[in-house]
Amino acid sequence: MDNATQTTAANSSAFSFISKGWREVRDSADADLQLMKDRANSFKNLAASFDREIENLIHSAAPSFSVPAIRQSSEIDFMKKLQPKISEFRRVYSAPEISRKVMEKWGPRAKIGIDLSRIRSAIVAEVQETEEEDMDGIVEYNKVRKGRRAMFREEGQFGDWEPIRALKTRLREFEKKNSSVEIFGGFKNSEFVEKVKSSLKAICKEPHESKEVPPLDVPELLAYLVRQSGPLLDQLGVRKDLCDKIVEGLCSKRKNQLVLRSLAGGEPPTVDNDKTNDELDLRIASVLQSTGHCYEGGFWTDFMKHDDSDGKRNVAIVTTASLPWMTGTAVNPLFRAAYLAKSAKQNVTLLVPWLCRSDQELVYPSNLTFSSPEEQENYIRNWLEERIGFKADFKISFYPGKFSKERRSIIPAGDTSQFISSKEADIAILEEPEHLNWYHHGKRWTDKFNHVVGIVHTNYLEYIKREKNGALQAFFVKHINNWVTRAYCHKVLRLSAATQDLPKSVICNVHGVNPKFLKIGEKVAEERELGQQAFSKGAYFLGKMVWAKGYKELIDLLAKHKDDLDGFKLDVYGNGEDAHEVQSTAKRLDLNLNFLKGRDHADDSLHGYKVFINPSVSDVLCTATAEALAMGKFVVCADHPSNEFFRSFPNCLTYKTSEDFVAKVKEALANEPQPLSPEQRYNLSWEAATQRFVEYSELDRVLNNEHNGAKLRRSNGKLIAKSVSMPSLSEMVDGGLAFTHYCLTGNEFLRLCTGAIPGTRDYDKQHCKDLHLLPPQVENPIYGCLLSPEDI
């Protein structure tokens, strides 16, 4: 019984399945038959519609002719003869045999249609070009109605129809009959023909590709997010090259599509792997522009900046030291201001620290002090003009500063940015941006200025590592430097690879040498050409006498190879905090060192030396090395990133090991240095350094008003304004970092914990007296920064 029941159930299921399948087949066949009927009816309606359109054209064109009567009658006769043929054409289309043939031969998925453009082509070709074209049998009709497009196509059906052959014959007869150039030209240019053409074009519209910009896909969005988050990822330890590889990988799909499209069009590929970021920028900007989006600034961004309607830009150079302190951050910014102002294309202001008398006694040499900023300004200008040979037209201003004995540097007091008035706040050059902003509590530089460039002078990490708990301190200082330079700069220039890798930074030597050293070198070359002895002395070293300035390396090398350098004598020029300890160590090791007081490198007593030795590895770019090369001397220095710029000079001898040091010293003492070529002298000059600075800082673009309105050109020639149409996630993050830094530096307890000088959040009463400032309690209630006299 169970087996019988199972068999019956199985049979019932089988019949049910077959019945269901048959119903589906029947429904599908009915749908196909109905579809074929609809297509046949549409075919008939199409012929009737075409007939009505031709008749309307004939009636509408009749009164618009302005040609002579004989030409009018000929053209009207032509249309009257053409009308029976069109009626015959319509009857053939509407015949039941056509419908039956269509139902029999074309399946439900076939595409059928009438290409009315063939008739139009026949008329235009016969009338205008008299070229006989064979019908290829492809009939196509594109009908656009209510947003829907129906396309039908059939091949090999109506290529040799009697109506077409008759129409072509009548057109040839019409051409022979109206061979006159005047009549033919009048017919070609008549409004009737133009109306026929426009009507046929309206009926047979060609499908056009959509010009809409395709939306961003997920990989492109991720690539943009990763790229904009690059500085933040760098803070977290993710290297920039890794981020670039991720972006390139995410954009590879889009690149491949562009390559295939260009190859299909017969064009060479235009996608370059080195332009991934530019291509991504263009994609984002084009999509945003197609939506009508206009970026008007981020959450942290302040667009109330300088208006350069007066036609001349303003450049403010802010540094951390001033003459008579003979340090790199006092001398090099001074030369930079002079040579930027020399072009007279922009107004230049040099902002230097003002120290109270007690701090001046600690910093300035030979107990030199100044009672007023005007007195110090006169000293600075006189010193500069003696060396550059022209009168530099730039402004010198002062901001309050205090000297830190522990850090051996000047720390700004109060908001440094307030000492550049809002009217002149256009372009800022921050010499040592990390130093200026460690404890900066005031207006954000990039909010007040249109373009901010930072120039890194000092390898602070190298100095800090030499101190107690140096590794831990260096770790924190490294990330603080990244923080403040990213938050307060648009562009950062590193003089050499010896500095830490900072966000938005590039490596370029933007320092030159005092023109006086180049003149000394030219004089030495002239003496040698005349057969005179240019160098009468051996080797020397010059530098501030602190262990970190190369004295430790020098004593170690000479102590290790005392026997190899037997008879070698070295004169050492310098003053500094570690002078006594350095001299006692050299005396204890019985080294042949002759210690002398520090002096200007251009002093006449130093011209006769042939070899300058500089074993320092803490410098970023040693100015004394460049000066020695400019004077035509040999330079023996370490194979170190700080000396990379000097390796191209033939008189620069670099060593890698202590044994190599001995060999290079002996080589320099035994030979004569080569004269510098004109190109080498130019590369050492401040003219070349200023040119490099303008290029690498993008100052040329800013001065030409191309920074804020920078535009990117697409391959099709269309310009897309990136800065207007594309919001930057990176700018929002930078603004958040700046706001956080502002809040933290406003807390006096946190400032003291991180090593700030007490009372440097605001300037003190002595500064107010010396610089004629308002009391520091006058604050801006909106942002919390101090108001300058110009603002009040």
Side-chain angles (χ1 to χ4, degrees):
M1 291 296 291
D2 294 338
N3 292 336
T5 302
Q6 293 178 357
T7 302
T8 302
N11 294 336
S12 177
S13 299
F15 281 116
S16 176
F17 177 77
I18 294 173
S19 176
K20 182 179 180 182
W22 171 251
R23 285 195 303 270
E24 292 178 353
V25 171
R26 185 183 60 187
D27 295 341
S28 177
D30 291 342
D32 293 340
L33 290 174
Q34 183 62 36
L35 178 61
M36 287 187 286
K37 289 179 181 180
D38 293 342
R39 287 180 176 175
N41 293 332
S42 175
F43 197 61
K44 292 179 182 180
N45 296 334
L46 179 62
S49 175
F50 174 74
D51 190 21
R52 288 193 299 271
E53 184 69 22
I54 293 296
E55 290 177 357
N56 291 336
L57 286 174
I58 293 173
H59 292 305
S60 62
S64 61
F65 285 104
S66 59
V67 296
I70 182 172
R71 192 186 309 165
Q72 252 190 6
S73 61
S74 300
E75 294 172 355
I76 294 174
D77 290 342
F78 164 73
M79 293 309 302
K80 289 181 178 179
K81 294 178 181 180
L82 182 62
Q83 187 171 6
K85 298 301 180 181
I86 294 176
S87 299
E88 182 181 351
F89 177 78
R90 179 180 59 81
R91 287 195 298 271
V92 172
Y93 265 78
S94 304
E97 291 79 4
I98 295 297
S99 299
R100 187 166 55 253
K101 288 181 180 180
V102 171
M103 297 294 294
E104 291 174 355
K105 189 168 183 178
W106 295 345
R109 294 182 178 274
K111 296 179 179 179
I112 59 179
I114 304 170
D115 188 0
L116 298 183
S117 63
R118 292 297 177 183
I119 299 176
R120 177 193 61 186
S121 301
I123 295 174
V124 175
E126 292 293 343
V127 174
Q128 293 184 352
E129 301 177 2
T130 68
E131 294 181 356
E132 182 176 351
E133 298 182 0
D134 295 332
M135 299 292 290
D136 58 0
I138 301 178
V139 184
E140 180 177 285
Y141 176 69
N142 297 331
K143 183 178 181 182
V144 181
R145 186 176 184 183
K146 295 182 180 179
R148 297 184 179 180
R149 180 180 294 120
M151 179 179 294
F152 311 98
R153 176 171 298 173
E154 175 58 23
E155 299 185 6
Q157 295 295 325
F158 309 112
D160 296 324
W161 279 12
E162 179 63 26
I164 299 302
R165 288 198 298 270
L167 178 61
K168 293 166 69 176
T169 303
R170 302 299 294 178
L171 288 171
R172 281 194 293 270
E173 292 176 358
F174 174 76
E175 179 187 357
K176 293 177 182 179
K177 194 173 188 179
N178 299 278
S179 57
S180 171
V181 177
E182 180 184 359
I183 297 176
F184 186 72
F187 181 79
K188 278 205 319 181
N189 297 327
S190 66
E191 293 183 4
F192 170 72
V193 176
E194 296 301 326
K195 286 189 176 183
V196 170
K197 290 181 180 179
S198 61
S199 298
L200 291 174
K201 287 180 180 179
I203 296 175
C204 306
K205 286 185 179 177
E206 297 292 338
H208 61 279
E209 295 182 0
S210 174
K211 296 183 180 180
E212 295 181 357
V213 179
L216 296 172
D217 52 23
V218 175
E220 288 175 325
L221 290 173
L222 291 176
Y224 181 66
L225 179 62
V226 171
R227 200 197 63 181
Q228 294 286 31
S229 304
L232 179 61
L233 295 175
D234 181 67
Q235 294 281 347
L236 300 176
V238 180
R239 300 192 311 274
K240 185 177 184 297
D241 56 349
L242 179 59
C243 295
D244 293 339
K245 289 181 180 179
I246 295 174
V247 172
E248 184 175 352
L250 292 171
C251 294
S252 61
K253 180 179 179 182
R254 177 74 180 174
K255 287 183 182 180
N256 295 335
Q257 292 176 353
L258 293 177
V259 171
L260 293 176
R261 189 179 304 169
S262 61
L263 292 176
E267 300 177 357
T270 58
V271 180
D272 187 357
N273 289 335
D274 296 333
K275 298 181 179 180
T276 302
N277 288 337
D278 291 341
E279 293 293 337
L280 185 58
D281 281 342
L282 289 172
R283 277 284 294 142
I284 301 291
S286 60
V287 171
L288 290 176
Q289 193 174 60
S290 67
T291 62
H293 172 76
C294 182
Y295 178 54
E296 297 180 351
F299 181 76
W300 309 106
T301 309
D302 179 13
F303 282 95
M304 299 299 295
K305 297 185 181 180
H306 169 74
D307 181 13
D308 60 340
S309 57
D310 57 351
K312 204 168 185 180
R313 307 300 293 268
N314 295 300
V315 178
I317 302 175
V318 188
T319 187
T320 57
S322 176
L323 294 179
W325 189 10
M326 298 300 297
T327 184
T329 53
V331 175
N332 290 307
L334 181 61
F335 281 110
R336 195 182 331 279
Y339 281 89
L340 279 176
K342 187 178 181 181
S343 64
K345 294 181 180 179
Q346 54 275 329
N347 301 317
V348 179
T349 299
L350 178 64
L351 189 62
V352 298
W354 167 260
L355 300 178
C356 298
R357 184 176 292 273
S358 57
D359 285 338
Q360 292 182 29
E361 294 173 352
L362 296 174
V363 177
Y364 299 152
S366 304
N367 296 322
L368 185 62
T369 59
F370 306 98
S371 58
S372 67
E374 292 77 14
E375 184 181 352
Q376 186 172 0
E377 179 180 350
N378 291 333
Y379 176 90
I380 294 172
R381 292 190 183 277
N382 293 334
W383 183 94
L384 178 65
E385 291 179 7
E386 288 177 1
R387 286 156 177 78
I388 61 177
F390 62 89
K391 187 174 180 62
D393 184 16
F394 65 92
K395 178 182 176 182
I396 297 179
S397 298
F398 293 84
Y399 69 87
K402 290 188 177 182
F403 180 70
S404 173
K405 295 181 181 179
E406 294 76 14
R407 297 181 181 273
R408 296 173 181 174
S409 59
I410 298 175
I411 303 299
D415 177 15
T416 310
S417 67
Q418 70 172 311
F419 294 94
I420 299 295
S421 66
S422 299
K423 182 180 179 180
E424 298 176 347
D426 184 13
I427 300 168
I429 301 172
L430 306 183
E431 311 278 352
E432 293 197 317
E434 68 277 52
H435 183 161
L436 283 170
N437 292 298
W438 279 333
Y439 305 107
H440 175 70
H441 181 70
K443 191 74 171 179
R444 185 186 176 194
W445 295 96
T446 52
D447 285 349
K448 186 169 184 176
F449 292 83
N450 290 314
H451 190 62
V452 181
V453 181
I455 302 177
V456 180
H457 291 247
T458 308
N459 188 1
Y460 287 105
L461 301 183
E462 184 65 28
Y463 290 119
I464 293 174
K465 288 177 182 178
R466 300 169 184 256
E467 299 178 359
K468 185 179 179 181
N469 299 322
L472 181 61
Q473 291 186 60
F475 173 80
F476 287 108
V477 172
K478 175 184 177 181
H479 289 282
I480 292 174
N481 290 345
N482 287 337
W483 183 353
V484 296
T485 53
R486 179 185 174 183
Y488 295 115
C489 296
H490 291 119
K491 194 77 175 180
V492 178
L493 301 181
R494 298 158 54 203
L495 298 180
S496 73
T499 60
Q500 75 176 87
D501 188 8
L502 295 168
K504 308 175 185 179
S505 66
V506 294
I507 298 174
C508 180
N509 174 22
V510 293
H511 285 177
V513 298
N514 187 333
K516 192 172 183 179
F517 295 104
L518 293 172
K519 292 179 181 179
I520 295 173
E522 292 175 359
K523 181 180 178 181
V524 169
E526 292 174 358
E527 292 176 354
R528 294 182 59 185
E529 289 180 358
L530 297 175
Q532 301 177 4
Q533 184 180 2
F535 302 111
S536 58
K537 301 179 182 179
Y540 74 106
F541 174 62
L542 179 144
K544 185 178 181 181
M545 200 168 291
V546 293
W547 285 113
K549 285 292 185 179
Y551 285 90
K552 182 179 184 301
E553 291 81 2
L554 177 65
I555 289 179
D556 290 344
L557 287 170
L558 295 178
K560 183 177 182 180
H561 297 280
K562 185 191 305 184
D563 297 335
D564 297 330
L565 294 172
D566 187 27
F568 172 70
K569 180 181 178 181
L570 182 68
D571 293 337
V572 179
Y573 295 87
N575 303 318
E577 295 85 349
D578 298 332
H580 177 73
E581 188 176 352
V582 170
Q583 294 177 19
S584 60
T585 302
K587 186 177 181 180
R588 177 171 52 84
L589 296 175
D590 193 22
L591 301 179
N592 195 4
L593 295 177
N594 181 29
F595 290 96
L596 302 168
K597 289 184 178 182
R599 62 194 66 183
D600 193 332
H601 204 174
D603 192 83
D604 294 341
S605 61
L606 302 178
H607 294 177
Y609 287 98
K610 183 171 68 171
V611 182
F612 174 71
I613 294 179
N614 181 20
S616 175
V617 293
S618 62
D619 290 324
V620 172
L621 187 79
C622 184
T623 304
T625 299
E627 293 169 348
L629 289 173
M631 289 188 288
K633 305 177 186 295
F634 273 122
V635 172
V636 178
C637 57
D639 186 4
H640 188 261
S642 61
N643 298 316
E644 181 67 29
F645 177 79
F646 306 121
R647 290 179 183 174
S648 60
F649 294 86
N651 296 334
C652 181
L653 308 178
T654 59
Y655 63 89
K656 295 183 178 180
T657 62
S658 59
E659 292 77 12
D660 198 17
F661 168 77
V662 176
K664 297 298 182 183
V665 170
K666 291 182 177 181
E667 178 184 350
L669 294 174
N671 297 283
E672 291 295 323
Q674 300 181 22
L676 294 178
S677 66
E679 181 181 359
Q680 291 168 345
R681 283 198 297 269
Y682 176 75
N683 289 337
L684 289 171
S685 68
W686 266 105
E687 286 84 359
T690 303
Q691 183 178 359
R692 292 192 297 266
F693 169 75
V694 170
E695 177 184 356
Y696 279 83
S697 67
E698 300 178 356
L699 197 62
D700 52 348
R701 293 173 52 192
V702 179
L703 294 176
N704 293 327
N705 296 317
E706 296 179 5
H707 177 67
N708 291 330
K711 294 184 177 180
L712 301 175
R713 183 178 295 276
R714 297 188 61 179
S715 58
N716 62 1
K718 183 180 180 181
L719 290 176
I720 297 178
K722 172 183 172 184
S723 61
V724 175
S725 63
M726 186 168 54
S728 174
L729 176 62
S730 179
E731 291 179 2
M732 296 178 63
V733 175
D734 294 349
L737 291 174
F739 180 75
T740 304
H741 182 262
Y742 174 81
C743 295
L744 295 177
T745 54
N747 187 291
E748 185 66 19
F749 175 76
L750 292 177
R751 293 172 66 92
L752 296 177
C753 290
T754 54
I757 301 176
T760 53
R761 199 192 95 163
D762 300 316
Y763 45 80
D764 56 23
K765 294 181 179 180
Q766 186 61 44
H767 284 129
C768 292
K769 180 180 178 181
D770 294 342
L771 297 176
H772 309 291
L773 302 176
L774 294 175
Q777 64 266 20
V778 179
E779 296 186 353
N780 185 341
I782 297 178
Y783 199 73
C785 65
L786 301 175
L787 292 176
S788 65
E790 294 88 343
D791 295 330
I792 295 180

